[in-house]
Amino acid sequence: MTEQTEQYVWDLREADETDVAVVGGKGAQLGGLSRIEDLRVPDGFCVTTDAFRRIMAEAPSTGDLLARLSRVDPDDREAVRTLSARIRRIIEDTAIPEDLAAAITRGLARFGERAACAVRSSATAEDLPTASFAGQQDTYLNVVGPTAVLRHVSRCWASLFTERAVAYRRRNGIDHRAVHMAVVVQRMVVPQAAGVLFTADPVTGNRTVATVDAGFGLGEALVSGLVNPDVFRVRHGEVVARTIAAKRCAVQALSGGGTREVAIGAERQEQPALTDAQVVRLVQLGRRIEAHFGRPQDIEWCLVDDGFRIVQSRPITTLFPLPESGDQDNHVYVSVGHGQMMTDPMKPLGLSLWRLTAMVPMHEAGGRLFVDVTRRLAAPASRAGLLDVMGRGDPLTRDALETVLDRGDFVPSLPDAGPGGPPVGGESAPVETDPAVVTGLIERSRESIAALERDIRTKSGPALFDFLLEAFEEHKRVLGDPLNLQAIMAGMEATWWLNDKLGEWLGEKNAADTLTLSAPGNVTSEMGLALLDVADVIRPHPEVVEFLRGVEYVDDAEDAENAAFLGELAKRAGGAAARDAIEDYLDRYGMRCVGEIDITRPRWRERPGTLVPVILDHVRNFAPGAAERRFAHGREKAQQKEQDVLARLRALPDGDRKAAETQRMIDRVRTFIGYREYPKYGIVSRYFVYKQALLAEAERLVRTGVLPEKEDVFYLTFQEFRDAVRAQEVDGRLIRQRKDAFRSYHALTPPRVLTSDGEALTGAYRRDDVPAGALTGLPVSAGIVEGRARVILDMAKADLEAGDILVTTFTDPSWSPLFVGIAGLVTEVGGLMTHGAVIAREYGLPAVVGVEQATRLIRDGQRIRVHGVDGYVEILS
């Protein structure tokens, strides 16, 4: 970039992608485009953000209005509308200073006195890799003469505060006061055709397919929805699909300025706006632009005299990023988050810790983790094993994988003896049905964690990281212990056996759901019931209850601030006993939290206020002794079901054999199904030990001035954190970039299956046994229940009444305390053996999981009916 002689006006060709702060997102992208060889970008200049700041300084009353706008509730649309309108009016009424107006007029001189221009907003939070802001600010076409251009520059400045732009910034967590507006002024081009090119399929995400939308005249006809565009799909340099629309009108420029809508003659309406050859040539230009910016692009183009002009290019921000494979081969990835019940993005330290302690290699994309299953899909035997396990756990994932396989040419074929490996899960060696097996595994895990807690106390600095790498190997050794895997599989396989055989012999669906009620030794189930016991301690003390009602959980407050209420609690009548009960609970379960596979997430021990709303719900909704009664009731129902099933089996032909086999499997499932939850408890217990040690190291970096805040290390990988401790130096710019990227990942929906072409697949149930209008899902816990839907996305904000049905995106073990107070469960993510399903069965809650977009399609407060046997949800009101 050359040194600028005028701070208010920059030639477009002098800017590039690094100049967003000066020329805004659109100006920076156009500057970058103008540097691509043989690419034609209409000539123009930028009125810089310095000019905008000058105008804002000329109108000081906007400062107070901006402060008020930042504080207003984003749902208060009337307040947003009123404040933003006042700010726009002030900006438009502010006279442009003479020297600034003269600089803009000099920039126009090279176009000629009456040249037509496009005057286009270019905000500093616009056309970015993390937020496109497409259409949020204003553009004016065919503006003629300096006076009109200056007036429309003011309008562009004011459009930073349109109601839609203000709302968009709030949704993306962007401070209004941190955004500034530049304005792009370009020579107007009058095209025969115009439209949009996506260098990746914006619907499927496939990077090998480009999509071209085209219409006659200016692109405004397409943008405003006046006409349907012609749509061309191009793959590997060939038009593979086309839809030619009837284009009855177009938008054209007027000779004196402005635009108008004109009718298209009947003979031209169904003619394609572009020839196939032109479409292919346009996509070739798009691929060059994509290569320049390093990511798929949404490109606005015009066709002028058989040559293309590029008038805009922005990243396609809705595409899910691709894992790095290091080769050009085809790859198929399965989401880890859908199996772990945590589809939110993870911070870099969380991603790297999970990868370092995982039993299989994992790949990162969009703040989520994926496993490459290409080799397993390639060979028949391993493919069958993978699809069977996926199908039992999550039919949508299986369907998505089968969709890829059905194409026939994406996944390579390998013989069974090839590198595909054994079937998923391997051959599960039998383990004796003996409770001592579970007791021994739990004791071994406790001893290992105790040794970790003891040995890590003396470690700091580089020695801590060396120690942790050894600890991660012990972590994987405990998890990979063959007996541990056999015990986990034993409970799952017994469940499948019971459901399959009792369905075949007795015609009964999901019989194991009742047979596993109140199974012994389930640490997650016990955790939910234990909070009822805490409520029993608190309930007799009105002063304690009243105090807890005033406790506020502040998401961005320091952990000590969120935990301070425990000290105050002890000062109330009965408060000491209440505090001790909460502390005891935290000693056993304080390492848990929502999204607990991410080590950076705040744990209950760090922020115990998270539990207060649930405790208060239990105080209100339950009588003393509820935990013991609930467990006993479940055990009694399971025993009754066992007796009923065995009696019915004995009445069948060969009934004694069937009853004996079923009895063995019931004993087996009740011995091992509770242990299904323990390995995750052990993992999370270790994670809390790791986290405490790592945060102590981060605090040392803060004390020595290396870091401004200890949580900044969450945006470093484990190795980067280790390097920072050794060098006593951190790249602050990298941390800022990672924070911005992490914020952007929240807007992405991770797919169950992702291909290396970028195609994101969610799968489908393909069922015809669901009533019209019902939402289809996977039945994981038997029963039918009707009640009020409570759509809850944050456990700390739960407010439940008896009989409510919880509707949420996913539930990991930390949600279990809510399960004791609800009547049913609906989630968007889940499988037959994921934690939410296991605990729903433990508590006898009808549950349907894997209901796509449940939290959007079901409104909070609606009455719904959950069919936990047949796997669907009816919306009743």
Side-chain angles (χ1 to χ4, degrees):
M1 185 191 70
T2 59
E3 185 177 350
Q4 305 304 311
T5 57
E6 184 69 72
Q7 64 173 340
Y8 296 131
V9 173
W10 280 24
D11 190 289
L12 266 183
R13 290 164 296 189
E14 294 176 307
D16 63 22
E17 304 92 298
T18 65
D19 295 315
V20 172
V22 180
V23 298
K26 187 179 279 97
Q29 291 285 109
L30 286 167
L33 287 167
S34 67
R35 293 164 180 260
I36 301 175
E37 189 176 355
D38 296 330
L39 199 73
R40 302 172 75 179
V41 177
D43 188 24
F45 61 88
C46 284
V47 182
T48 68
T49 53
D50 282 340
F52 174 77
R53 291 187 186 90
R54 172 89 176 270
I55 290 297
M56 296 298 280
E58 298 280 334
S61 61
T62 58
D64 177 60
L65 292 171
L66 275 175
R68 290 168 59 188
L69 189 62
S70 296
R71 293 192 299 267
V72 75
D73 185 338
D75 293 328
D76 188 347
R77 297 187 63 179
E78 184 58 37
V80 171
R81 184 181 299 115
T82 301
L83 286 168
S84 57
R86 287 179 63 187
I87 296 170
R88 290 197 305 276
R89 191 163 53 249
I90 291 169
I91 293 171
E92 288 191 42
D93 290 345
T94 300
I96 300 178
E98 289 185 10
D99 60 328
L100 174 51
I104 296 171
T105 303
R106 282 195 296 275
L108 289 169
R110 70 173 187 253
F111 300 157
E113 180 69 21
R114 299 295 297 170
C117 296
V119 182
R120 314 170 69 193
S121 63
S122 181
T124 53
E126 179 179 335
D127 297 342
L128 305 178
T130 56
S132 75
F133 276 79
Q136 300 305 313
Q137 285 90 212
D138 290 345
T139 285
Y140 301 95
L141 300 178
N142 205 36
V143 181
V144 178
T147 301
V149 168
L150 288 171
R151 184 169 65 252
H152 286 86
V153 166
S154 289
R155 289 179 177 177
C156 281
W157 285 330
S159 75
L160 187 64
F161 302 102
T162 62
E163 187 180 350
R164 63 182 181 272
V166 167
Y168 193 98
R169 286 195 292 273
R170 287 299 293 265
R171 283 198 302 273
N172 285 274
I174 298 171
D175 187 343
H176 306 303
R177 292 164 293 189
V179 182
H180 305 289
M181 179 69 83
V183 180
V184 173
V185 181
Q186 288 177 282
R187 186 190 295 275
M188 183 73 187
V189 295
V190 181
Q192 291 91 43
V196 179
L197 159 64
F198 296 96
T199 64
D201 189 314
V203 177
T204 68
N206 195 322
R207 269 62 161 184
T208 68
V209 176
T211 302
V212 175
D213 290 2
F216 294 124
L218 292 167
E220 292 306 292
L222 304 186
V223 172
S224 61
L226 285 175
V227 298
N228 291 324
D230 297 339
V231 180
F232 303 85
R233 288 166 59 84
V234 178
R235 186 173 188 181
H236 303 316
E238 180 182 352
V239 176
V240 295
R242 67 180 63 75
T243 302
I244 306 304
K247 302 170 287 296
R248 294 182 174 82
C249 65
V251 174
Q252 292 184 348
L254 296 170
S255 58
T259 62
R260 70 172 179 179
E261 181 184 332
V262 297
I264 295 175
E267 72 282 358
R268 289 189 64 214
Q269 287 179 6
E270 295 191 20
Q271 290 181 3
L274 297 177
T275 67
D276 280 8
Q278 288 171 329
V279 169
V280 170
R281 189 160 76 248
L282 176 61
V283 171
Q284 289 171 344
L285 290 175
R287 293 296 180 207
R288 290 171 57 191
I289 295 169
E290 180 183 67
H292 176 83
F293 289 117
R295 67 190 69 218
Q297 296 288 300
D298 165 0
I299 299 165
E300 296 175 22
W301 56 269
C302 297
L303 178 66
V304 183
D305 300 329
D306 202 37
F308 288 104
R309 307 291 192 276
I310 304 301
V311 295
Q312 179 57 321
S313 185
R314 61 176 68 89
I316 307 176
T317 58
T318 56
L319 297 179
F320 200 86
L322 297 180
E324 291 186 10
S325 64
D327 58 43
Q328 298 301 310
D329 297 338
N330 289 347
H331 293 270
V332 182
Y333 303 96
V334 170
S335 166
V336 172
H338 284 80
Q340 290 293 334
M341 297 296 93
M342 217 294 275
T343 55
D344 290 346
M346 297 168 66
K347 293 173 184 171
L349 187 62
L351 289 165
S352 64
L353 258 292
W354 191 258
R355 293 174 75 177
L356 284 167
T357 54
M359 303 302 291
V360 295
M362 294 182 179
H363 305 264
E364 184 271 329
R368 280 81 168 186
L369 291 170
F370 295 84
V371 173
D372 188 341
V373 296
T374 315
R375 287 186 175 273
R376 292 198 179 277
L377 289 174
S382 58
R383 180 190 313 138
L386 177 69
L387 293 176
D388 181 60
V389 170
M390 291 296 174
R392 287 185 180 276
D394 181 0
L396 291 177
T397 298
R398 174 173 181 148
D399 183 79
L401 289 172
E402 288 177 331
T403 300
V404 177
L405 289 168
D406 286 346
R407 291 176 188 150
D409 60 351
F410 191 82
V411 177
S413 293
L414 294 172
D416 283 331
V424 172
E427 289 298 326
S428 184
V431 58
E432 186 180 355
T433 303
D434 182 358
V437 173
V438 171
T439 304
L441 286 167
I442 290 173
E443 187 56 34
R444 258 184 268 177
S445 176
R446 286 174 175 164
E447 288 173 358
S448 179
I449 293 169
L452 171 67
E453 291 174 330
R454 181 186 66 243
D455 296 342
I456 205 170
R457 290 180 192 137
T458 59
K459 304 297 188 293
S460 64
L464 170 66
F465 292 86
D466 295 337
F467 171 82
L468 283 173
L469 288 174
E470 294 177 6
F472 298 160
E473 293 307 309
E474 167 67 3
H475 178 124
K476 289 190 285 188
R477 187 197 66 75
V478 171
L479 200 59
D481 180 348
L483 188 60
N484 177 55
L485 299 177
Q486 290 164 19
I488 294 171
M489 291 305 299
M492 295 168 65
E493 288 167 349
T495 300
W496 298 336
W497 189 97
L498 287 167
N499 282 334
D500 291 346
K501 291 298 184 181
L502 295 181
E504 175 188 342
W505 294 337
L506 299 176
E508 189 166 332
K509 292 182 180 179
N510 303 327
D513 292 359
T514 305
L515 292 167
T516 55
L517 287 171
S518 298
N522 187 317
V523 68
T524 308
S525 173
E526 291 166 357
M527 177 174 69
L529 296 175
L531 205 60
L532 287 172
D533 293 333
V534 174
D536 284 353
V537 175
I538 290 169
R539 191 179 294 105
H541 305 292
E543 192 175 338
V544 169
V545 173
E546 188 61 32
F547 172 78
L548 289 176
R549 285 183 182 138
V551 171
E552 289 188 17
Y553 171 78
V554 183
D555 190 49
D556 56 356
E558 287 289 328
D559 294 341
E561 186 178 335
N562 275 306
F565 78 92
L566 288 173
E568 290 296 313
L569 178 61
K571 299 175 184 176
R572 273 68 184 174
R579 178 201 59 198
D580 291 347
I582 295 173
E583 288 282 5
D584 287 346
Y585 186 86
L586 292 172
D587 286 343
R588 284 181 288 166
Y589 307 113
M591 76 293 290
R592 311 220 80 147
C593 68
V594 174
E596 59 194 10
I597 69 170
D598 183 354
I599 197 172
T600 71
R601 291 285 191 109
R603 311 283 138 173
W604 291 344
R605 168 52 79 183
E606 295 167 322
R607 299 191 179 179
T610 309
L611 296 170
V612 168
V614 189
I615 294 172
L616 290 173
D617 283 348
H618 290 351
V619 167
R620 182 177 67 249
N621 296 330
F622 291 93
E628 185 177 346
R629 284 195 306 276
R630 185 164 193 141
F631 188 81
H633 178 67
R635 185 174 54 208
E636 184 179 339
K637 282 187 68 175
Q639 290 169 348
Q640 290 172 351
K641 184 69 172 179
E642 177 180 340
Q643 293 166 7
D644 172 64
V645 164
L646 294 176
R648 289 161 61 196
L649 286 172
R650 291 188 185 104
L652 298 176
D654 197 21
D656 288 342
R657 179 188 63 81
K658 292 173 180 174
E661 288 182 14
T662 300
Q663 179 70 72
R664 283 196 297 274
M665 283 299 174
I666 291 173
D667 292 344
R668 193 165 180 79
V669 80
R670 293 193 67 81
T671 297
F672 290 111
I673 198 63
Y675 183 70
R676 165 73 179 82
E677 293 293 297
Y678 198 86
K680 183 73 169 287
Y681 177 80
I683 290 171
V684 176
S685 297
R686 290 175 179 279
Y687 262 43
F688 193 40
V689 179
Y690 304 154
K691 182 179 185 180
Q692 289 172 305
L694 289 169
L695 280 179
E697 205 58 44
E699 287 170 350
R700 293 185 188 96
L701 293 179
V702 172
R703 288 197 297 271
T704 56
V706 175
L707 280 179
E709 297 178 355
K710 65 180 180 182
E711 287 82 5
D712 284 350
V713 298
F714 294 163
Y715 298 93
L716 300 174
T717 66
F718 180 83
Q719 184 59 50
E720 289 166 347
F721 190 179
R722 186 185 193 184
D723 293 342
V725 169
R726 283 178 171 166
Q728 289 294 293
E729 186 179 17
V730 170
D731 183 350
R733 187 172 57 87
L734 175 66
I735 289 175
R736 288 191 295 275
Q737 289 173 349
R738 296 263 179 85
K739 287 181 177 180
D740 289 341
F742 178 72
R743 277 193 292 269
S744 74
Y745 294 153
H746 283 278
L748 299 173
T749 300
R752 282 175 166 80
V753 172
L754 182 67
T755 72
S756 49
D757 279 352
E759 193 168 7
L761 299 105
T762 57
Y765 285 106
R766 306 186 193 282
R767 292 170 53 186
D768 57 9
D769 60 342
V770 174
L775 307 180
T776 308
L778 177 66
V780 296
S781 185
I784 299 174
V785 66
E786 180 180 321
R788 180 180 66 158
R790 294 311 314 270
V791 180
I792 296 174
L793 304 180
D794 183 348
M795 181 179 161
K797 297 176 182 175
D799 181 14
L800 294 163
E801 299 285 350
D804 283 348
I805 298 170
L806 173 63
V807 180
T808 190
T809 48
F810 58 80
T811 60
D812 59 14
S814 70
W815 286 76
S816 298
L818 290 185
F819 282 23
V820 299
I822 60 176
L825 174 69
V826 179
T827 68
E828 295 180 346
V829 177
L832 190 62
M833 282 298 168
T834 49
H835 299 278
V838 171
I839 303 307
R841 291 193 291 273
E842 281 276 319
Y843 290 165
L845 300 175
V848 179
V849 303
V851 180
E852 284 287 289
Q853 300 187 50
T855 60
R856 300 176 192 175
L857 297 174
I858 300 172
R859 295 195 308 274
D860 187 57
Q862 282 185 310
R863 286 196 69 77
I864 62 174
R865 185 182 295 129
V866 178
H867 293 257
V869 173
D870 295 313
Y872 62 89
V873 179
E874 292 180 286
I875 299 176
L876 305 178
S877 66

